[in-house]
Amino acid sequence: MTILAQAVQQIDVPQIAWGAISPELVLFGFGIVVLLLETAGRSRVGVSAFLTVVVLAAAALLGWRTGETLTALMVALAALATMALTLIWRDRPRMLSAILTALGFVGALAATGWQWAEYAGAATATVGSESFPIVGTATAIGDMVAVDGVALFTRFTVCIAGLLTIPLGYAYAESRRIHRGEYYPLLLFSATGMTLLASSADLIMVFISIEILSLSLYILTAFARRDLNSQEAAFKYFLLGAFSSALLLYGIAVTYGIAGTTNIAAAGAAFATLDAPQAMTLTAMGLLVVGFGFKTAIVPFHMWTPDVYQGAPTPVTGFMAAATKAAAFAAFARLFVGSFANLQWTWVPAIWVLAVATMLLGAILAVVQQDVKRMLGYSAVAHAGYVLLGLTAVTRDGVSSLLLYLLIYAVTSLGAFGVLSLLERRTRKAMALDDLRGVGRRYPVPAGMFALFLLSLAGIPGTAGFIAKFAVFRSAVEAGQILLVAAAVLSSLIAFFFYIRVIVVMFMDEEPAEAEFAAPLISTTGMSAGLAVAAAVVVVVGLVPGLLLDLARQAASFAG
């Protein structure tokens, strides 16, 4: 034993800054806990919970012994909460999984809030003659992970999207009989990949994060295994996702060949020198743009979006539209605005063209759609073009407007897909425009919420969507992108037509006679609460946006 103890003491244990990835650890840890409880079965859930608590207690003790007091306290609280919730809800395993998943997202939000408190106001930025505080920056784990404003704000966005998805999807999954145990761990694992992607400071970590979130989303897309549309959507998503990952990996390889490193900040510094071969530099950046273009649904890399949005279970579609876009654009901005800003003369014109094509084509194709989810899919393409306005500004205001837009779009789109999932429970099929005729007269509250979310997506004043669009338009104008803003305004006018068309169909058209025999519209408490929260955010931010604007402005900081 003495020899063994001496050997253990001689091992050089690396010092890992676990606090830098504490939100990811919380999400992944709760994913493992929920997965263990689900695989145990109802008869053995108590034994599984006890073993889980023992492991968590050991982890808490280890954290306390190594000086991570806050981490140890959080793990200990998680162990107690897991045991208590298991004893209360052991006869309802799906409810137990949903509650634990929500607790995981709340824990990740708490960890992100702690990081924000540690780094808020630790640095200042100057725009013109004005100086204002921003979130401080740092890197950890071999400069692979960044702790900065972009990472923290995006973590908030992803976790809020996850919290809203749980109540909106619970009743939907029950009614479609797809409420299986893997759903909640996959939700947590995909969110882990998203938050890690937003904080990746190395291209290798970017690729790993994308694969973590993508593999989970492929399965979630195919979760309705008896629905051929769901299986087709997952298959298309998998094939195009694999193709885009390969192109992204080629871009990473070329970047390493030029810069000799995969660290994002170091690669940007190497690219800025004239020693780097220009043709290979453009090739690397082009491949990286294509790789991120697939993940963010930018034209012409958007082909998977309408099919996947239409075929996936509606709550999964909402989560995908909200959280994946936020994480991918955060990584996109970190790479190009944070590190390749000195080379903006090479990539801004290309992004400019892609933004115009994305905004106009997404809006035009949405006009001719009859399936509502497919229409929202093309709408999501157009919104990706609006986000690109903040990217092409290549300024702090551009980054802050991008982050603000992604958060507001996440809440609004989740609300819209939440109402759709409620209506689909009534018709037991995908919603077409004809299925919405007269819905506003029979069910004014959910139809009114849907109208509110659509008006916010259209950018009508008084809604959060107007604040988001105004922010990105202003940042682009200040950067001199007048023609790009003109194209965005034209796209918004086209989009206004199909959003208003849905509202007119709901409130002005007569309900078809066969609708009298349809199933009644039944909303659960959780779904009603989720929709109410989303609607409240849209209204409050639309009327009083000051606090959120300040937070987004503080978050416009990149590590490195």
Side-chain angles (χ1 to χ4, degrees), residues 457-468:
L457 290 173
I460 300 301
T463 65
F466 172 77
I467 302 301

Side-chain angles (χ1 to χ4, degrees), residues 163-435:
L163 273 176
L164 286 175
T165 301
I166 295 169
L168 294 178
Y170 186 90
Y172 177 88
E174 285 285 328
S175 63
R176 289 199 62 181
R177 299 182 180 179
I178 59 173
H179 207 180
R180 300 192 302 277
E182 313 94 282
Y183 175 77
Y184 295 105
L186 288 170
L187 198 66
L188 287 164
F189 293 152
S190 63
T192 303
M194 293 170 190
T195 55
L196 195 59
L197 175 60
S199 58
S200 296
D202 191 281
L203 291 173
I204 298 298
M205 186 62 74
V206 167
F207 180 75
I208 293 172
S209 305
I210 287 177
E211 292 308 298
I212 292 173
L213 73 91
S214 296
L215 290 174
S216 300
L217 288 178
Y218 297 152
I219 303 171
L220 286 172
T221 303
F223 218 66
R225 58 188 179 188
R226 293 183 179 87
D227 186 349
L228 292 180
N229 290 328
S230 180
Q231 304 306 304
E232 179 186 354
F235 188 64
K236 290 179 178 178
Y237 192 22
F238 171 73
L239 289 180
L240 290 175
F243 181 65
S244 67
S245 295
L247 291 176
L248 180 64
L249 198 56
Y250 283 132
I252 293 172
V254 177
T255 300
Y256 180 77
I258 298 171
T261 179
T262 55
N263 181 270
I264 291 176
F271 276 23
T273 65
L274 297 178
D275 295 332
Q278 186 174 2
M280 293 301 291
T281 303
L282 295 176
T283 300
M285 289 194 291
L287 288 170
L288 292 172
V289 167
V290 172
F292 282 113
F294 271 101
K295 299 303 178 185
T296 53
I298 296 171
V299 172
F301 317 113
H302 70 291
M303 295 84 71
W304 60 273
T305 308
D307 293 329
V308 173
Y309 278 36
Q310 182 182 19
T314 305
V316 174
T317 303
F319 181 68
M320 192 188 309
T324 307
K325 196 180 296 291
F329 267 116
F332 205 163
R334 180 183 304 283
L335 182 61
F336 282 86
V337 180
S339 294
F340 295 164
N342 292 331
L343 297 172
Q344 59 183 282
W345 59 273
T346 62
W347 59 266
V348 166
I351 299 297
W352 196 97
V353 174
L354 292 177
V356 172
T358 302
M359 290 184 293
L360 294 179
L361 191 63
I364 292 170
L365 290 177
V367 170
V368 299
Q369 302 304 316
Q370 293 299 313
D371 185 277
V372 181
K373 284 172 67 176
R374 197 172 181 86
M375 183 201 75
L376 289 177
Y378 280 112
S379 168
V381 173
H383 282 281
Y386 303 143
V387 177
L388 286 177
L389 268 68
L391 198 69
T392 56
V394 201
T395 60
R396 287 193 182 275
D397 282 343
V399 174
S400 66
S401 66
L402 178 149
L403 294 173
L404 177 71
Y405 197 103
L406 292 169
L407 175 58
I408 291 175
Y409 175 75
V411 176
T412 307
S413 62
L414 272 169
F417 282 108
V419 175
L420 273 184
S421 64
L422 176 61
L423 296 174
E424 285 179 7
R425 292 183 64 204
R426 170 177 173 257
T427 59
R428 302 188 184 279
K429 65 172 185 173
M431 297 297 297
L433 272 177
D434 288 339
D435 298 319

Side-chain angles (χ1 to χ4, degrees), residues 28 106 112 226 239 280 345 347 367 388 445 456 474 486 543 548:
F28 185 77
V106 170
T112 305
R226 293 183 179 87
L239 289 180
M280 293 301 291
W345 59 273
W347 59 266
V367 170
L388 286 177
V445 174
S456 180
R474 185 184 64 178
L543 298 176
L548 198 57

